[in-house]
Amino acid sequence: MASRYDRAITVFSPDGHLFQVEYAQEAVKKGSTAVGIRGTNIVVLGVEKKSVAKLQDERTVRKICALDDHVCMAFAGLTADARVVINRARVECQSHKLTVEDPVTVEYITRFIATLKQKYTQSNGRRPFGISALIVGFDDDGIPRLYQTDPSGTYHAWKANAIGRSAKTVREFLEKNYTEDAIANDNEAIKLAIRALLEVVQSGGKNIELAIIRRNQPLKMFSAKEIELQVSEIEKEKEEAEKKKSKKST
Amino acid sequence: MALQDVCKWKAPDTQELSLHLPQHGSWAVPRGCDSQTFLHVHGPRLAHGTTTLAFRFHHGVIAAADTRSSCGNYVACPASLKVIPVHQHLLGTMSGTSADCATWYRVLQRELRLRALRDGQLPSVASAAKLLSVMMSRYRGLDLCVATALCGWDHSGPALFYVYSDGTCLQGDIFSVGSGSPYAYGVLDRSYHYDMTIQEAYALARCAVAHAIHRDAYSGGSVDLFHVQESGWEYVSRSDAYVLYMELENLPESKQELQVETSQIYTEAATLPRAEVGEFSVEPEEVTPEDSRMPAETETL
């Protein structure tokens, strides 16, 4: 009966929790890891690619999507929910340009996505979106930005962050290793993102997808070869560091 | 909100995607008439007729206007202010129906202020122009008459847009609006260039409005002058139009300058062949190998 479905699904518990929102955050924790890094002249997004079935065409699974020429996002959680959010965000980017003649700022589109998510935690018969998003880009003023949203509709700016499965491990790694030197140049920032993902991704470079935006340039998706190149460089650096360590100890 | 109820205008929600066009039926007209014809025949005679101008140059944007508000053959107000500040870095010149202009500018102020609060910075002049033209184009066909030049300074420097109530939104360097605009355009086109000094710009604006007032019956009173710079807008002066025009008439240098220039143009054509002794034929149209020297000659004009 229609009247049954008019009741709000997200209601407060006696001790002030919104359980549906918290369950949505649990769903996010089941999704594959995504990491975002804000460099000085570059922003990097890396995601863990889930292994695809033998007969599946892996190019159809895209976890990093452009919202406009200067903004892109990665998500963790329910892919179908993400598709809806990304579509609404893309339309809003163009509507903004139409109404106001200027491209969206990264903060504006993050606020839009966050407001959209919050609406679904306070509407009749709807459940919250089960995704967290990492939104990166450059504004007109040339400053790089990284924002993270979660199913409750809050958003924060970050220097580096991770979402999804094992996000805690990756975030701890980033807290230790995100230094001024680490993001000194673009290449270093890219390597930091890959190293962070390699902490939790099982089979190395094959299961990593990477995208970057440099100032005044469109989104660039890395090919498998380019990722392999970075990974082998990282492994070389690791070996050299270990050699130095063993030399010191002997 | 009272204003919203009167205009039956809904603020565009950031979440909603579709533009809601108002129903024509919301205007109360007798059955069988369309609203535009009805208004033309029976509607109130509204105040029109003015001279306003705006131009952008290196040091900002100048806005100038006369101060006569006319209603048919009757001067409703000889000292009205036709340049409306929208915010610290944006002015609008008012032409058309005074009531419409005042109302829509208040609505525009509201929109810009809300966006500034939400986004942390004021929208650009291009945004403001776009917003105004979109808001007004929803009332197209209902006899709104607002012709305005938005003058402002934003992150892209001095900016100038012309917005008309049918939805036109044009970017440009010089605009003049109103019944006196043809006269003002003549004066502006003669002496405008982007690298003028501030004093030259003030003089040009005053001169253009004064000449328009001199010839246009619906313009008069005084000349208001505003200047939008990087630090914000400034109300430079209000000078009586008659006094200004008399000063321009009596100014010896400007008149002589004009005479000297025009005579030079005519004499130069005649003397050019003679200046290059023996190297040009009498007809200046003939192209000779020494033509490369001609540009240097004309530059000294």
Side-chain angles (χ1 to χ4, degrees):
Chain A
M1 281 197 294
S3 54
R4 287 264 183 88
Y5 295 98
D6 287 338
R7 269 191 307 142
I9 285 177
T10 315
V11 288
F12 279 109
S13 69
D15 55 349
H17 290 269
L18 285 171
F19 277 123
Q20 281 300 308
V21 175
E22 291 183 12
Y23 299 157
Q25 280 160 349
E26 290 299 314
V28 169
K29 285 188 197 152
K30 284 210 168 66
S32 50
T33 321
V35 71
I37 296 197
R38 186 184 85 191
T40 19
N41 302 310
I42 190 176
V43 284
V44 187
L45 278 177
V47 297
E48 172 196 359
K49 257 196 306 199
K50 266 210 176 102
S51 48
V52 295
K54 213 169 160 189
L55 296 171
Q56 193 179 73
D57 187 346
E58 70 168 33
R59 284 171 302 171
T60 55
V61 181
R62 277 263 174 261
K63 285 196 49 164
I64 303 179
C65 310
L67 298 180
D68 201 348
D69 294 330
H70 60 296
V71 193
C72 77
M73 72 172 250
F75 64 91
L78 275 57
T79 317
D81 286 5
R83 205 176 54 234
V84 171
V85 171
I86 289 172
N87 203 34
R88 295 287 298 269
R90 281 175 176 162
V91 172
E92 177 62 21
C93 284
Q94 298 313 309
S95 296
H96 186 274
K97 241 193 243 181
L98 174 65
T99 327
V100 182
E101 291 278 353
D102 286 328
V104 293
T105 57
V106 185
E107 200 263 337
Y108 178 92
I109 197 64
T110 308
R111 199 165 7 108
F112 173 82
I113 291 173
T115 314
L116 177 67
K117 285 184 180 178
Q118 192 279 338
K119 272 204 183 144
Y120 278 64
T121 68
Q122 216 179 2
S123 298
N124 291 336
R126 297 184 192 181
R127 61 160 177 81
F129 285 105
I131 63 162
S132 277
L134 287 173
I135 300 152
V136 295
F138 282 87
D139 287 339
D140 259 341
D141 53 13
I143 301 181
R145 305 209 193 256
L146 164 64
Y147 287 92
Q148 185 237 349
T149 65
D150 65 11
S152 65
T154 54
Y155 70 96
H156 299 279
W158 290 78
K159 294 183 188 157
N161 199 4
I163 50 176
R165 184 168 43 209
S166 329
K168 202 150 172 269
T169 322
V170 180
R171 208 173 302 127
E172 282 169 5
F173 174 87
L174 287 170
E175 279 174 13
K176 276 198 213 113
N177 292 286
Y178 184 92
T179 57
E180 286 309 310
D181 296 330
I183 53 155
N185 64 36
D186 297 353
N187 225 17
E188 291 302 310
I190 295 171
K191 280 210 211 111
L192 180 62
I194 297 181
R195 273 164 47 215
L197 273 176
L198 284 173
E199 293 279 309
V200 294
V201 163
Q202 277 103 348
S203 14
K206 280 189 289 140
N207 279 8
I208 292 180
E209 207 176 280
L210 200 78
I212 59 165
I213 302 186
R214 283 186 227 264
R215 188 176 292 121
N216 295 327
Q217 288 181 26
L219 170 69
K220 179 178 186 307
M221 299 284 310
F222 271 40
S223 65
K225 261 197 215 157
E226 288 169 318
I227 297 178
E228 270 309 312
L229 212 72
Q230 295 284 350
V231 171
S232 48
E233 266 190 49
I234 290 171
E235 283 176 357
K236 238 194 262 172
E237 282 174 10
K238 242 195 203 167
E239 279 179 28
E240 284 177 10
E242 287 201 17
K243 268 192 205 162
K244 273 196 192 158
K245 255 195 199 165
S246 56
K247 268 192 188 170
K248 273 193 186 165
S249 55
T250 52
Chain B
M1 240 188 62
L3 194 60
Q4 252 176 290
D5 290 344
V6 165
C7 298
K8 287 193 176 46
W9 173 78
K10 243 202 275 187
D13 198 341
T14 46
Q15 309 305 327
E16 272 159 28
L17 305 168
S18 56
L19 279 177
H20 295 292
L21 288 165
Q23 310 301 329
H24 263 60
S26 62
W27 189 272
V29 292
R31 208 173 295 189
C33 298
D34 73 297
S35 39
Q36 198 159 11
T37 333
F38 181 79
L39 279 169
H40 268 294
V41 174
H42 302 287
R45 292 285 140 253
L46 306 162
H48 286 251
T50 182
T51 306
T52 65
L53 61 88
F55 56 87
R56 64 182 270 268
F57 70 121
H58 184 69
H59 297 287
V61 189
I62 300 287
D66 75 311
T67 58
R68 176 176 292 178
S69 262
S70 52
C71 196
N73 293 332
Y74 156 69
V75 176
C77 176
S80 52
L81 188 59
K82 296 189 188 180
V83 179
I84 315 175
V86 181
H87 58 70
Q88 190 63 22
H89 285 85
L90 186 60
L91 292 174
T93 64
M94 176 157 62
S95 174
T97 315
S98 327
D100 286 341
C101 289
T103 312
W104 284 102
Y105 263 98
R106 289 192 62 206
V107 176
L108 179 64
Q109 267 172 344
R110 170 197 185 273
E111 266 307 301
L112 293 180
R113 179 63 181 141
L114 269 175
R115 280 167 196 274
L117 283 168
R118 282 191 196 133
D119 301 334
Q121 58 177 10
L122 275 167
S124 58
V125 184
S127 308
K130 197 64 189 293
L131 283 167
L132 186 61
S133 81
V134 162
M135 288 196 290
M136 290 198 295
S137 67
R138 296 178 191 181
Y139 290 82
R140 200 174 167 172
L142 291 179
D143 224 21
L144 251 189
C145 187
V146 173
T148 175
L150 279 163
C151 323
W153 188 293
D154 59 24
H155 59 85
S156 65
L160 177 58
F161 284 82
Y162 168 68
V163 176
Y164 187 62
S165 45
D166 67 357
T168 308
C169 178
L170 299 169
Q171 183 174 27
D173 286 338
I174 311 176
F175 285 111
S176 178
V177 189
S179 53
S181 61
Y183 313 108
Y185 269 128
V187 177
L188 283 170
D189 290 335
R190 178 80 179 75
S191 316
Y192 167 83
H193 57 98
Y194 189 79
D195 301 304
M196 289 187 287
T197 65
I198 296 181
Q199 289 310 315
E200 281 177 343
Y202 289 172
L204 176 61
R206 288 193 189 108
C207 182
V209 181
H211 278 85
I213 289 174
H214 184 65
R215 284 291 173 181
D216 179 34
Y218 293 102
S219 308
S222 318
V223 179
D224 277 336
L225 185 59
F226 284 75
H227 182 190
V228 186
Q229 304 165 77
E230 195 165 3
S231 51
W233 63 261
E234 187 197 332
Y235 186 2
V236 177
S237 65
R238 170 174 277 202
S239 3
D240 186 85
Y242 180 73
V243 172
L244 196 57
Y245 193 75
M246 285 300 119
E247 279 176 12
L248 288 169
E249 282 261 286
N250 295 331
L251 214 56
E253 314 126 48
S254 63
K255 242 200 167 167
Q256 278 182 6
E257 226 180 76
L258 216 67
Q259 283 182 347
V260 166
E261 276 188 51
T262 45
S263 58
Q264 265 196 338
I265 294 171
Y266 286 115
T267 49
E268 208 59 46
T271 56
L272 253 161
R274 275 181 266 144
E276 308 295 326
V277 178
E279 284 152 0
F280 285 110
S281 60
V282 182
E283 296 94 55
E285 289 96 13
E286 256 184 58
V287 176
T288 61
E290 277 72 28
D291 258 358
S292 56
R293 279 197 246 170
M294 274 189 69
E297 271 298 325
T298 50
E299 257 159 31
T300 57
L301 256 172

